[in-house]
């Protein structure tokens, strides 16, 4: 009898130590795959019904919710709230222009690595594995036109991938749905002497993920976050979340970052450094990829 009472008390305690919250649009439609960041750490992601169960310890914390289709919003002390509402981003009318009485979309100006004919070769098919958990990747984007464009979006193409499980049998297992796992991104200035990443543009890294029916994760900067493309270029930084963060969000593996074949004169160069060496670790050109004439399929889009 004592055991039954103890079990009941433990069960009740566990139930009341967490709370189910719904994230929805202002039109009261549930929002799937909204990322909840608690104290700058990704903690939760909403399910297909827009629901998420939050631990009591986080209910009084500051929670930032990010979703590619909705405006960023921070909530404080949600202990007495059942639904959190996000405002949808509206498509800007200036992206459409009328010419000779016919409607056509104005192309967004962007900067991507130029795919070469080498991309048809088997080694360049683009199904690359995930970034090493002990590695941080940097892609250098030069401002060759020296134009003062405003950086508005970042696109990172992700994919599922296979991992060799047995060297003898060469058996490989596919990491299904890995492309939807989140990753961390940021921007760094360029060191004017050594031409390597210098200082972070944003104090905290952004966390983004590919949405269903898309091939890429997208970072949409708010008006307050948008910044001018420096004349000496910019670095885009990519790295995985920690294993603990992936487990907390319910993901088994980090995403694969798509690679492409490029020409020898490609200017968007990959760099890397090892995380175990800390923030003072030296950045190095990713010679293995450069010699293979490969780079990551990552691009910057500018404000029209």
């Amino acid at each position: 009898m004592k055991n039954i009472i103890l079990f009941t008390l433990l069960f009740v305690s566990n139930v009341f130590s967490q709370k189910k919250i719904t994230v929805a649009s202002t039109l009261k439609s549930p929002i799937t795959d909204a990322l909840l960041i608690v104290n700058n750490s990704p903690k939760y992601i909403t399910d297909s019904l827009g629901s998420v169960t939050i631990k009591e310890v986080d209910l009084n914390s500051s929670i930032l919710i990010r979703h590619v289709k909705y405006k960023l919003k921070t909530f404080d002390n949600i202990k007495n709230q059942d639904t959190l509402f996000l405002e949808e981003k509206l498509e800007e009318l200036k992206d459409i222009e009328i010419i000779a009485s016919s409607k056509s979309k104005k192309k967004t100006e962007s900067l991507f690595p130029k795919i070469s004919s080498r991309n048809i070769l088997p080694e360049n098919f683009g199904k690359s594995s995930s970034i090493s958990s002990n590695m941080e990747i940097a892609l250098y984007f030069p401002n060759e036109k020296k134009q003062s464009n405003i950086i508005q979006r970042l696109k990172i193409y992700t994919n599922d991938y296979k991992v060799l499980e047995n060297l003898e049998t060469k058996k490989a297992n596919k990491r299904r749905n890995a492309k939807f796992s989140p990753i961390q991104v940021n921007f760094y200035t360029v060191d004017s002497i050594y031409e390597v990443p210098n200082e972070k543009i944003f104090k905290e890294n952004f966390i983004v993920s590919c949405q269903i029916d898309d091939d890429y994760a997208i970072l949409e900067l708010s008006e307050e976050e948008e910044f001018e493309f420096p004349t000496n270029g910019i670095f885009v930084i990519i790295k995985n979340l920690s294993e603990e963060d992936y487990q907390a969000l319910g993901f088994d593996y980090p995403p694969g970052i798509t690679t492409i074949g490029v020409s020898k004169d490609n200017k968007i160069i990959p760099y890397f450094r090892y995380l175990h060496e800390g923030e003072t670790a030296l950045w190095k050109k990713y010679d293995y990829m450069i010699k293979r004439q490969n780079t990551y399929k990552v691009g910057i889009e500018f404000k029209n």
Side-chain angles (χ1 to χ4, degrees):
M1 184 67 177
K2 288 182 179 179
N3 289 337
I4 295 175
I5 294 172
L6 178 61
F7 175 79
T8 304
L9 289 173
L10 288 172
F11 177 77
V12 172
S13 174
N14 184 58
V15 168
F16 284 97
S17 66
Q18 54 190 19
K19 181 180 178 68
K20 191 171 184 179
I21 297 288
T22 299
V23 179
S25 69
T26 51
L27 298 177
K28 299 186 179 179
S29 299
I31 300 175
T32 302
D33 294 335
L35 186 66
L36 280 69
I37 303 171
V38 183
N39 297 327
N40 298 318
S41 179
K43 280 288 196 74
Y44 310 97
I45 193 163
T46 57
D47 60 21
S48 59
L49 299 176
S51 298
V52 62
T53 300
I54 299 178
K55 295 178 181 178
E56 185 179 34
V57 68
D58 293 326
L59 293 175
N60 293 323
S61 302
S62 178
I63 299 178
L64 172 68
I65 303 183
R66 178 179 287 277
H67 192 283
V68 67
K69 294 182 180 178
Y70 296 85
K71 293 182 179 180
L72 286 174
K73 191 168 182 181
T74 300
F75 297 86
D76 295 306
N77 192 0
I78 62 171
K79 200 166 187 177
N80 297 320
Q81 293 179 259
D82 295 316
T83 306
L84 307 178
F85 293 101
L86 299 184
E87 186 180 348
E88 192 167 6
K89 292 178 181 176
L90 297 178
E91 293 294 327
E92 296 182 8
L93 293 177
K94 63 183 179 182
D95 285 344
I96 307 294
E97 62 178 4
I98 300 175
I99 302 176
S101 298
S102 64
K103 292 183 179 180
S104 62
K105 277 193 175 182
K106 182 195 285 187
K107 288 185 178 179
T108 301
E109 189 173 353
S110 60
L111 183 58
F112 277 80
K114 188 176 181 181
I115 298 176
S116 76
S117 57
R118 295 186 69 261
N119 204 55
I120 65 173
L121 299 176
E123 66 266 27
N124 293 323
F125 273 170
K127 295 295 183 183
S128 64
S129 60
S130 64
I131 298 170
S132 167
S133 59
N134 188 37
M135 189 181 287
E136 190 172 14
I137 298 297
L139 270 183
Y140 171 59
F141 287 82
N143 187 350
E144 294 185 291
K145 296 180 180 179
K146 306 300 180 186
Q147 294 180 346
S148 56
N149 292 337
I150 302 299
I151 295 177
Q152 187 177 48
R153 299 182 191 89
L154 175 66
K155 286 185 177 180
I156 303 170
Y157 283 75
T158 58
N159 55 258
D160 295 340
Y161 51 93
K162 291 182 179 180
V163 173
L164 192 63
E165 302 285 0
N166 191 308
L167 292 175
E168 293 182 1
T169 63
K170 295 184 178 180
K171 182 181 179 181
N173 286 334
K174 189 171 184 178
R175 302 300 194 227
R176 299 184 185 279
N177 295 319
K179 68 180 290 185
F180 303 115
S181 296
I183 45 175
Q184 298 185 65
V185 297
N186 209 327
F187 297 90
Y188 273 63
T189 59
V190 180
D191 187 289
S192 58
I193 298 175
Y194 300 105
E195 297 185 336
V196 294
N198 186 20
E199 295 182 349
K200 276 185 176 183
I201 298 292
F202 298 98
K203 182 179 179 181
E204 301 295 338
N205 293 336
F206 294 97
I207 299 169
V208 297
S209 59
C210 178
Q211 303 296 304
I212 301 296
D213 299 327
D214 282 338
D215 293 321
Y216 52 80
I218 184 169
L219 170 63
E220 181 97 25
L221 297 176
S222 66
E223 288 189 7
E224 294 77 20
E225 294 167 338
E226 292 169 358
F227 64 97
E228 188 174 310
F229 190 22
T231 55
N232 64 338
I234 197 78
F235 275 97
V236 170
I237 309 298
I238 309 169
K239 67 177 180 179
N240 295 331
L241 277 62
S242 69
E243 187 175 339
E244 293 75 20
D245 285 338
Y246 280 122
Q247 289 176 352
L249 292 170
F251 290 94
D252 296 321
Y253 317 103
I257 309 299
T258 303
T259 57
I260 54 175
V262 293
S263 61
K264 288 184 178 180
D265 61 353
N266 169 56
K267 299 293 194 305
I268 300 178
I269 304 296
Y271 289 69
F272 76 96
R273 70 175 176 179
Y274 292 113
L275 295 174
H276 74 272
E277 296 177 355
E279 285 295 322
T280 59
L282 295 177
W283 288 96
K284 306 170 187 176
K285 282 189 177 180
Y286 206 153
D287 288 332
Y288 174 76
M289 291 191 72
I290 294 170
K291 288 176 182 177
R292 287 169 59 92
Q293 291 178 234
N294 276 16
T295 194
Y296 293 101
K297 192 175 181 181
V298 175
I300 294 171
E301 290 189 350
F302 303 101
K303 198 167 187 176
N304 289 329

